Each structure stands twice: as structure tokens, then as C-alpha cells.
Amino acid sequence: MRVAVIGGGIIGTAVARQVLRSQPSASVTLLEKESTLAAHQTGHNSGVVHAGLYYTPGSLKARLCRRGVGLLKAFCAAHGVAYTECGKVLVALDAAEASRLGGIHERALANGVPGVRMLSAGEVSEIEPHAQGVAGLHSPTTAIADFVGVTLALAADAAALGATLRLGVEVTGFVERGTTVIVQGSGGFAEAFDLVIVCAGLFADRVSRLAGDEADPMIVPFRGEYHLLRPERRYLVRGLIYPVPDPRYPFLGVHLTLRTDGEVMVGPNAVLALAREGYRWRRMSPGDLRQAVAWPGFRRFARQHWRTGVAEMAGSLSKRRFVAAARRYVPALTAADVVRGPSGIRAQALGRDGQLVDDFRITRRGHVVCVRNAPSPGATSSLAIAEHIVDLALTS
Ligand SMILES: Cc1cc2nc3c(=O)[nH]c(=O)nc-3n(C[C@H](O)[C@H](O)[C@H](O)COP(=O)(O)OP(=O)(O)OC[C@H]3O[C@@H](n4cnc5c(N)ncnc54)[C@H](O)[C@@H]3O)c2cc1C
């Protein structure tokens, strides 16, 4: 069987490896438009291995995140990739947030997350001495990992099992011929495959549509910007300090995150990017903007959430405002403590009905399987997503 995997992020590389683990005689080609792997979401995120606190029990996110944590931890140990269980504290600032924390605690228990417990205000500061709130929730197994290192190790494994990695090939079209699909790409690439698996992140909708999938849902790029703590202030954060998330959005709110290289990140916010790969404000794509505005779901979403959008934009343009969001949890933090850091763009699917797609969405149509929505905790869940996709793709 000839299999094409489109996209060299953590999910595409995990899928390429998993196909070969499941069917060693398969011929697998991974196609990535950039000259390096992990160039987009996988290389621009918080690096947190989520334990599974937030997700609706029974959802794909809940199941694949829980299974993904175990697989990822073992993979990192076996391949010498950085993985540290530094633990995470969610901090409630008032009684309403404390009551929402109770709900998250129940979900975490239903999802089988080990060791989670509610914290009093005093216990919050025992674990994170510079954090302050009225209550907290501790998840001791939440970890940090080097997701780029994981992706490179997955790709090396896949190559050792026989996969061909083609970097710098952008997939531009598909032609169905009976039971095969001819994949066309830049540089005159054209090869026939029996199965195509689309893991194209920020272009998931466009590549899926080229392959005959439907337009709904569309990807909306939400940029997440980070600041970095100056080295002399890193002592303010021991592990991971998170707010209680706003239930209206799938994003977790500005948090303070230790990275495996010792940096501490503050962020990410969530601003609408003016281009799918618009890592800074000045990067704008008229085509991407036109497509977003033409999508009925986008107009519905914008009507409902424009106030939050404006507030996020203000935080993006002013370091003082940005830091103020994090200072609510760590009062000693000031704007002078941070410098501008990296940013990442979330590939978040938005339905025609104006609702953000909450769960992972993976579809299959004939010989083509498409990952249509795999935002956070997609990196955490990547090895389990790969198992799920390969089960779906190889059972007819
Ligand atoms: C700001 C931010 C913070 C996050 N924090 C976390 C976190 O802490 N923990 C966590 O688990 N998850 C987190 N995530 C989510 C996580 O990063 C993603 O779920 C995961 O990286 C998705 O992997 P992917 O392989 O699907 O996508 P990507 O890494 O985006 O890879 C898709 C690849 O497809 C390629 N591609 C696209 N179109 C084509 C084409 N036509 N031809 C060839 N190649 C193509 C792209 O170049 C890209 O390399 C975060 C994401 C962001 C943006």
C-alpha cells in the first residue's frame, strides 16, 4: 500500500511512523512544504504536556490526550527527548472562579487524571510561592516537553522504518483515478497513492477541500504571542501557573510556563492573525482575509465576540496591558521583567454556524483521511491521534 502523509508537524510525522509500525510493508511518503519539520504550530507553542483536565469526558480530546500523555512520556524516555513533570497550578481569583475550578476538578477525575487536588490559598503559595489567589487546583503530572525534538525523533523513526521524507514540496492538487489518488505538488511532484492522510495544520481546510472534502469547518488563524521573563526574574515561576479558563473559548488564557530550555514564557494571548502564517502584525494576506470574511461562520463569530477581540488586540499592542493579565496571578510581575518573545498561530476550526469546533475532528472520505481540527492539546495527543487515524484509515 502506498501512503502519502501531508504535513511535517508532530501529527504528520507521528502518523507516518504509525502507518509503518502497523503495516511494515507499506510505502510511506511524507510531504512538507517547508524546508524543515515542525516549522509551524509544532515549533511555536507552549510546550505543555496537558494532563487532560479540561476536556469533556468521552470526547476525542479527553481520550486521546490521556492516552497521548502515556505514549509521549514513554517515547521521550526512549529517545532521550526532554520531558519534565513540573506540575501545574490553576489559580482562582474569586469565588466564581473557585466554583468553576470545582467543575474542572470533577472533569479531571472523570478523565482519569492522576493526583489532581483542590488547593487552599495557602497551598497555592506553597507550590508556587509568587502566585496568589483564593483557591487553586494542582495537577502534579502536567509536564513540559520539547515538541520539536519529539517531531525530529518521530521522523527519524519513520525514516528508519522506510518512510521517504520530502521537504520543500507543497501539495497543490489531487486527481482521483479509480482506487488511487495522484498527489500533485510543487517542483513537478506527481505520484500515485492508495491512501492520503492530510495533517496540514493551518491549511487543513484548504488541502482537505482540494482532496474533495467539504468546506465546513474553516480554519481561522488565532495568533498567540508570548513574552519571555528576564533570566534574573525566572525565580517567580517554578512550573506552570494557569488561570481558570473562560468557558466561552477553547484557549486557556495567558499563563506562565517553564520551558525545557529553562526560559519562562508569559502568554499566549489570542488575536486574529491577518494571515495564516502571520506571526507578526505586519504580515498580512489579503487572500486569507477575504476568505475569512466571506465565511458566514466568521461573520457570526465576529458579531458575538468583537469585544473580546478588541481587548486581545489592545493587549497585543501594549506590553503593559499584556503583563497586567499575568500579574493578576503573580503580583510581583512588572512590564520591566519581560521581553518580547516568539509567537505561534493556532489552526482553530470554525463552523458555518459561527461556533469554534471544540473537539478534534478527523474525517474520512474514500481514500483520503483529513485532520480538520487539532488544536491544543494536539501536540500532547499526537501519538494517540496517530493511532486513531491509522485505525480509521486502515479499516475499510
Ligand atoms: C500558541 C500555541 C500554543 C499551543 N500550546 C500547546 C501546548 O502547550 N500543548 C499542546 O499539546 N498543544 C499546544 N498547541 C497545539 C499544538 O501545537 C498543535 O495541536 C500541534 O502542533 C498540531 O500539529 P500538526 O502537525 O497538526 O500541525 P503543524 O505543526 O502546524 O504542521 C502542519 C504542517 O503542514 C504543512 N503544510 C501545510 N500545507 C501544506 C501543503 N499544501 N503541502 C505540504 N505541507 C503542508 C505545514 O507547513 C506544517 O509544517 C499550541 C498551539 C499554538 C499555536
Side-chain angles (χ1 to χ4, degrees), residues 45-211:
N45 61 41
S46 299
V48 174
V49 181
H50 290 289
L53 304 178
Y54 309 102
Y55 319 117
T56 308
S59 63
L60 274 182
K61 270 190 180 174
R63 289 189 287 124
L64 299 180
C65 177
R66 283 303 309 144
R67 173 141 180 88
V69 172
L71 294 173
L72 189 69
K73 187 175 175 183
F75 182 86
C76 288
H79 291 77
V81 178
Y83 184 106
T84 308
E85 268 181 11
C86 57
K88 156 162 149 179
V89 176
L90 270 70
V91 180
L93 296 177
D94 55 33
E97 287 193 357
S99 131
R100 292 216 307 272
L101 260 192
I104 294 173
H105 186 209
E106 276 168 27
R107 276 194 172 185
L109 295 177
N111 289 337
V113 182
V116 276
R117 67 181 176 103
M118 294 293 290
L119 302 174
S120 65
E123 288 170 323
V124 167
S125 353
E126 271 168 33
I127 296 172
E128 286 289 352
H130 298 278
Q132 213 170 292
V134 301
L137 181 77
H138 187 218
S139 167
T141 64
T142 297
I144 50 176
D146 169 9
F147 288 134
V148 174
V150 172
T151 306
L152 298 180
L154 285 167
D157 254 17
L161 292 167
T164 303
L165 309 179
R166 297 286 307 265
L167 301 181
V169 177
E170 177 169 2
V171 171
T172 51
F174 301 88
V175 181
E176 284 202 36
R177 288 255 168 82
T179 60
T180 64
V181 181
I182 297 166
V183 177
Q184 299 169 329
S186 56
F189 181 89
E191 277 182 26
F193 295 94
D194 306 298
L195 174 67
V196 175
I197 304 175
V198 178
C199 311
L202 286 155
F203 292 92
D205 53 346
R206 290 197 194 156
V207 179
S208 301
R209 281 194 79 183
L210 287 176

Side-chain angles (χ1 to χ4, degrees), residues 48-388:
V48 174
V49 181
H50 290 289
L53 304 178
Y54 309 102
Y55 319 117
T56 308
S59 63
L60 274 182
K61 270 190 180 174
R63 289 189 287 124
L64 299 180
C65 177
R66 283 303 309 144
R67 173 141 180 88
V69 172
L71 294 173
L72 189 69
K73 187 175 175 183
F75 182 86
C76 288
H79 291 77
V81 178
Y83 184 106
T84 308
E85 268 181 11
C86 57
K88 156 162 149 179
V89 176
L90 270 70
V91 180
L93 296 177
D94 55 33
E97 287 193 357
S99 131
R100 292 216 307 272
L101 260 192
I104 294 173
H105 186 209
E106 276 168 27
R107 276 194 172 185
L109 295 177
N111 289 337
V113 182
V116 276
R117 67 181 176 103
M118 294 293 290
L119 302 174
S120 65
E123 288 170 323
V124 167
S125 353
E126 271 168 33
I127 296 172
E128 286 289 352
H130 298 278
Q132 213 170 292
V134 301
L137 181 77
H138 187 218
S139 167
T141 64
T142 297
I144 50 176
D146 169 9
F147 288 134
V148 174
V150 172
T151 306
L152 298 180
L154 285 167
D157 254 17
L161 292 167
T164 303
L165 309 179
R166 297 286 307 265
L167 301 181
V169 177
E170 177 169 2
V171 171
T172 51
F174 301 88
V175 181
E176 284 202 36
R177 288 255 168 82
T179 60
T180 64
V181 181
I182 297 166
V183 177
Q184 299 169 329
S186 56
F189 181 89
E191 277 182 26
F193 295 94
D194 306 298
L195 174 67
V196 175
I197 304 175
V198 178
C199 311
L202 286 155
F203 292 92
D205 53 346
R206 290 197 194 156
V207 179
S208 301
R209 281 194 79 183
L210 287 176
D213 213 21
E214 57 187 48
D216 190 14
M218 192 188 90
I219 291 291
V220 177
F222 283 99
R223 187 171 58 241
E225 298 159 334
Y226 296 91
H227 283 70
L228 297 173
L229 269 191
R230 291 186 191 281
E232 63 276 19
R233 296 289 273 170
R234 286 183 193 152
Y235 69 88
L236 291 174
V237 180
R238 281 187 179 167
L240 307 170
I241 303 176
Y242 273 65
V244 179
D246 181 335
R248 290 172 303 162
Y249 301 103
F251 314 127
L252 299 177
V254 165
H255 40 263
L256 296 108
T257 316
L258 179 66
R259 259 182 9 193
T260 54
D261 62 3
E263 292 272 9
V264 175
M265 299 205 290
V266 185
N269 56 0
V271 288
L272 193 65
L274 302 179
R276 297 234 175 166
E277 293 171 352
Y279 289 93
R280 295 283 179 226
W281 276 113
R282 60 180 174 275
R283 173 92 167 75
M284 188 205 285
S285 156
D288 287 353
L289 277 177
R290 256 196 312 275
Q291 196 194 3
V293 173
W295 180 242
F298 179 78
R299 293 198 298 271
R300 290 193 179 105
F301 179 80
R303 268 197 301 276
Q304 262 183 302
H305 299 287
W306 66 269
R307 276 192 192 82
T308 311
V310 169
E312 288 285 329
M313 214 185 284
S316 164
L317 297 172
S318 149
K319 182 161 101 168
R320 200 178 44 75
R321 275 178 191 258
F322 190 102
V323 170
R327 194 173 39 239
R328 297 167 71 216
Y329 308 92
V330 179
L333 191 70
T334 69
D337 293 333
V338 301
V339 292
R340 188 176 273 282
S343 60
I345 318 242
R346 306 171 183 87
Q348 172 61 53
L350 175 66
R352 190 181 288 281
D353 59 1
Q355 300 297 314
L356 296 173
V357 177
D358 188 42
D359 207 359
F360 294 146
R361 187 169 297 178
I362 295 156
T363 60
R364 177 180 175 178
R365 238 190 94 263
H367 312 291
V368 183
V369 174
C370 299
V371 177
R372 296 297 301 256
N373 193 47
S376 186
T380 302
S381 316
S382 50
L383 295 174
I385 292 177
E387 283 182 346
H388 177 80

